[in-house]
Amino acid sequence: MRFKQAVPLLTAAFLAALAALRASASLAGAVTDYRLDNGLQVVVIEDHRAPVVVQMLWYRAGAADEPAGKSGIAHFLEHLMFKATDDMEAGEFSDVVAANGGSDNAFTTQDYTAYYQRIAADRLGLVMRMEADRMRDLLLTPEDIATEREVILEERAQRTDSNPNALASEQMTATLYMNHPYRIPVIGWRHEVEKLGREDALAFYRRFYAPDNAVLVVAGDVEPEEVLALARKYYGPLAPTGDIKPRLRPSEPPQLAPRRLTYADPRVSQPYIRRMYLAGERNHGAQEEAAALTYLAEILGGTGATSVLGRALQFDRQVAVYANAGYSAVSLDPGTFDLVVVPVPGVSLEQAEDALDAVLAEFLREGVDPEQFARIKMQIRASEIYALDDVQGIARRYGAALTSGLSIEDVQAWPEVLQQVTPEEVMAAARRLFDANRSVTGWVMPAGEADSAEVAQ
């Protein structure tokens, strides 16, 4: 009874905190969209709370756009972009940013590659000039290729080859996607990365690195017209490719059977089950399914003590030390919805999987708990408001969306789309999602245990 009386007070305090944060965040978020004559999209997000600016340049080119047999070339080129241009020496870009009190980096995904700098607002022209310079004038020597290829191979060795969980994930992803290039890891297959050369990098660079295949996002203490003037000065003279084609990728055929695999590795310290389903993504003007799946992931696996899987498997049945669900809504093509269960010692993977299936079946029969749904809706609302307090996060949100088939209007509508989701829509999405024929189930275990594991075929 005492707990129930405290809830309204906590809710009132929580809402008051959200209101205060929303008032602060309202100083940020005004978005202006331009298009230069050469095709470059320029998005300006005003945030005048601190004299800082973030410049992010996004290319509509990721690992899923690589030529067959050249896996890893998108990520390889990301590294090479910090080499020399006709105006800068190798490494000079980052040195100049650091000397001016800023920071910079880059990242590659299946759908895009992005380069960013965070620096004092009065240095925006400086980083624009350098970023524009390497868009079209990158110089690559054979020594650059040899050196950076070894760096990439060492990165793969450290992050993937020495990590049994990463290797298991690679195998599962390659099994889930029968035809789509998402089946290939962003860092690339080792045997193909070892053969990547200068012409491979330059061919990818010339094809995709152009103003008409890029989105420039500038967020921070800036005025839109000033940003546009700088963009015209530095990016405007760059010639477009002119023949950028739609990103038409191989699609998945009908998947007619569930798939299973066992990954055994002596470095696995704790056996676990992972199941992956093909899942729809946010689409332009049609984000409702992805919003329902966002709720489903939170309902099933958000917090151990309150989620469906956590309560049932960790506390009620006590067959798992960990259970979770995960889903990422932003991708150009259908992504994945993941379930993970780590059984307690003495519980086999078969028993843990049977328990997982039983809990999912019960959830599909009984539906969403109304109190849990209301709590998650409030949490999602809060997270969307808190996100407005991170200027770099806002820039990333727009850049990722615009290079994954969404529009500015889609980004701005997303918080409201999330708030309109109903329990009935979540359950309908769950029934569509949990199609065994569109899934792969993996048992990850120490070497030796696989010999005695009875894995259904």
Side-chain angles (χ1 to χ4, degrees):
M1 179 65 69
R2 192 175 302 168
F3 175 75
K4 290 183 178 179
Q5 290 175 339
V7 170
L9 295 177
L10 290 173
T11 302
F14 182 60
L15 290 174
L18 288 186
L21 182 59
R22 186 186 292 111
S24 172
S26 66
L27 298 174
V31 179
T32 309
D33 184 25
Y34 302 101
R35 183 79 63 167
L36 300 189
D37 291 342
N38 59 11
L40 179 68
Q41 185 176 8
V42 181
V43 178
V44 183
I45 306 165
E46 295 179 66
D47 185 333
H48 300 291
R49 291 173 293 180
V52 175
V53 67
V54 174
Q55 175 183 235
M56 304 190 82
L57 186 64
W58 300 72
Y59 292 98
R60 295 183 177 90
D65 301 297
E66 296 167 339
K70 304 295 182 182
S71 67
I73 192 63
H75 177 246
F76 190 18
L77 180 58
E78 175 212 311
H79 279 240
L80 293 169
M81 286 290 284
F82 292 86
K83 300 300 182 182
T85 70
D86 58 350
D87 292 329
M88 292 186 292
E89 297 179 356
E92 182 179 347
F93 190 116
S94 295
D95 290 343
V96 171
V97 172
N100 282 270
S103 60
D104 74 316
N105 213 325
F107 50 88
T108 305
T109 72
Q110 292 284 8
D111 295 318
Y112 50 75
T113 308
Y115 303 83
Y116 66 91
Q117 305 85 41
R118 183 181 179 92
I119 202 164
D122 61 359
R123 301 291 193 276
L124 176 60
L126 172 66
V127 293
M128 262 202 196
R129 174 179 61 78
M130 295 192 297
E131 193 66 83
D133 180 44
R134 65 178 175 180
M135 177 183 280
R136 285 308 222 176
D137 294 330
L138 184 65
L139 303 177
L140 295 177
T141 67
E143 293 75 22
D144 291 335
I145 299 297
T147 300
E148 210 59 38
R149 187 171 53 224
E150 288 304 312
V151 171
I152 298 295
L153 290 169
E154 180 59 26
E155 181 179 336
R156 180 178 168 94
Q158 292 183 359
R159 296 185 179 182
T160 305
D161 298 335
S162 63
N163 184 339
N165 297 325
L167 290 171
S169 181
E170 275 191 348
Q171 295 296 307
M172 289 191 65
T173 304
T175 303
L176 179 65
Y177 289 100
M178 300 168 59
N179 193 49
H180 193 281
Y182 283 171
R183 69 196 316 271
I184 299 170
V186 171
I187 200 167
W189 300 118
R190 172 173 284 275
H191 70 286
E192 292 185 346
V193 174
E194 290 173 339
K195 298 177 182 178
L196 295 178
R198 181 172 178 270
E199 288 307 312
D200 299 319
L202 288 175
F204 196 83
Y205 176 67
R206 291 165 182 155
R207 178 181 177 187
F208 291 112
Y209 279 51
D212 48 338
N213 196 45
V215 179
L216 176 66
V217 180
V218 177
D221 189 20
V222 292
E223 296 296 335
E225 290 301 321
E226 294 177 2
V227 174
L228 178 59
L230 289 172
R232 284 173 172 159
K233 177 179 179 179
Y234 293 114
Y235 291 101
L238 301 178
T241 295
D243 62 349
I244 298 294
K245 297 178 176 59
R247 301 167 80 181
L248 300 177
R249 296 164 170 172
S251 58
E252 283 296 295
Q255 297 195 349
L256 306 178
R259 276 138 289 159
R260 304 183 63 88
L261 64 84
T262 299
Y263 181 79
D265 191 306
R267 298 168 296 180
V268 173
S269 59
Q270 174 67 58
Y272 63 91
I273 297 165
R274 181 181 179 190
R275 183 176 295 162
M276 302 170 64
Y277 293 89
L278 286 178
E281 75 284 9
R282 287 168 61 184
N283 289 306
H284 173 50
Q287 303 184 85
E288 291 77 13
E289 181 82 0
L293 291 174
T294 300
Y295 274 83
L296 181 63
E298 287 297 316
I299 291 167
L300 292 178
T303 303
T306 60
S307 67
V308 169
L309 294 179
R311 288 199 314 264
L313 300 179
Q314 294 175 233
F315 295 95
D316 295 344
R317 307 187 188 193
Q318 297 184 0
V319 297
V321 296
Y322 177 78
N324 199 13
Y327 168 69
S328 178
V330 178
S331 60
L332 187 61
D333 298 315
T336 65
F337 191 103
D338 288 18
L339 302 172
V340 176
V341 177
V342 181
V344 300
V347 173
S348 69
L349 291 178
E350 182 178 14
Q351 291 170 324
E353 184 179 350
D354 289 344
L356 168 64
D357 288 334
V359 173
L360 291 177
E362 182 180 356
F363 172 74
L364 291 174
R365 286 194 307 270
E366 297 187 357
V368 178
D369 173 52
E371 291 185 5
Q372 182 196 26
F373 186 82
R375 182 174 62 251
I376 289 174
K377 177 168 283 193
M378 180 65 74
Q379 291 170 349
I380 288 176
R381 180 185 177 191
S383 68
E384 289 297 309
I385 294 173
Y386 282 124
L388 298 176
D389 206 35
D390 178 4
V391 64
Q392 187 163 322
I394 297 171
R396 184 162 184 158
R397 175 176 293 203
Y398 276 90
L402 294 172
T403 49
S404 299
L406 298 170
S407 67
I408 289 176
E409 292 73 24
D410 292 324
V411 177
Q412 295 173 335
W414 178 242
E416 182 59 28
V417 173
L418 286 169
Q419 289 303 304
Q420 295 301 317
V421 173
T422 66
E424 293 74 20
E425 290 170 335
V426 172
M427 295 310 301
R431 294 185 183 98
R432 288 187 291 269
L433 173 72
F434 293 134
D435 177 356
N437 289 342
R438 291 164 57 84
S439 74
V440 57
T441 301
W443 288 9
V444 182
M445 62 183 68
E449 292 189 16
D451 296 335
S452 58
E454 296 180 2
V455 181
Q457 301 297 322

